[in-house]
Amino acid sequence: MSNETVAATAHAHAHTHAHTARAIPPSALAELRVADDAGRACVPYAAVEGGDPLRCCLRPSVPGERIALVAYAPLRRWAAGTGADPGAYDEQGPVFVHAEECDGPAPSSTYPFARAGALRVLRRYDAAGRIVGGRLLEIPEASSEGFDRAFAEAFADPAVALVHVRAVEYGCFHFEVRRP
């Protein structure tokens, strides 16, 4: 995917709701498709039932798509680009991605993986990569409004540089939102 495509996708995404849900960047995906952040080789397979939350394009997989489950360390990768040192807050966890390059996220009027009633943790991090709070969110029927309120609350604290959205049940990283 070209940088222009990524920029256009991010721009389109930014105008559909108050904050931009960021997928795993293409450069990180290229590395994860060889070896993940735990050092394990990528092992692609065909999605059987579909519905796996793909963090490369922020949509569920469909049956038959070639995907992989890899370990991803989002805070570590963000810190490497900013010079931050998250220390003990560095963590890695499982994420699903397409096994080959994809087109990335399409513009959407909702946040990804926003099923009403699902529980999400929104972890807040400062510019040094340290956790500065968090919030549990039960996704309401008006999911975009619920996320918008939670992100507005997070970024009302000037120390918050980014927010990671994770599933409560498995702790999986879903997406990142950075300070606007």
Side-chain angles (χ1 to χ4, degrees):
M1 178 179 347
S2 72
N3 287 339
E4 294 78 22
T5 303
V6 171
T9 300
H11 179 74
H13 229 313
H15 293 288
T16 55
H17 36 70
H19 300 277
T20 302
R22 298 173 67 100
I24 298 175
S27 59
L29 290 165
E31 294 171 3
L32 293 169
R33 289 177 179 129
V34 175
D36 68 14
D37 287 343
R40 289 185 294 272
C42 180
V43 180
Y45 62 94
V48 177
E49 295 179 20
D52 306 299
L54 297 166
R55 282 31 168 257
C56 49
C57 54
L58 302 180
R59 68 163 177 81
S61 67
V62 297
E65 279 188 297
R66 301 270 308 149
I67 63 174
L69 182 61
V70 298
Y72 177 56
L75 193 61
R76 179 187 316 162
R77 287 181 173 271
W78 170 82
T82 64
D85 179 11
Y89 296 106
D90 177 31
E91 60 184 313
Q92 64 190 23
V95 294
F96 292 98
V97 297
H98 276 113
E100 290 84 29
E101 186 175 338
C102 68
D103 291 333
S108 175
S109 61
T110 62
Y111 290 97
F113 320 119
R115 182 179 40 85
L119 298 175
R120 300 290 181 258
V121 170
L122 282 69
R123 293 188 188 159
R124 305 168 186 175
Y125 298 92
D126 66 14
R130 303 291 198 264
I131 197 164
V132 291
R135 176 186 200 284
L136 178 64
L137 173 68
E138 181 174 350
I139 300 175
E141 288 295 326
S143 63
S144 288
E145 293 172 19
F147 272 111
D148 285 343
R149 280 191 302 274
F151 292 133
E153 175 188 296
F155 292 118
D157 179 348
V160 175
L162 71 154
V163 176
H164 284 176
V165 176
R166 294 179 176 268
V168 170
E169 298 87 347
Y170 301 104
C172 299
F173 171 83
H174 276 222
F175 62 91
E176 173 182 291
V177 172
R178 295 186 183 175
R179 177 169 288 286

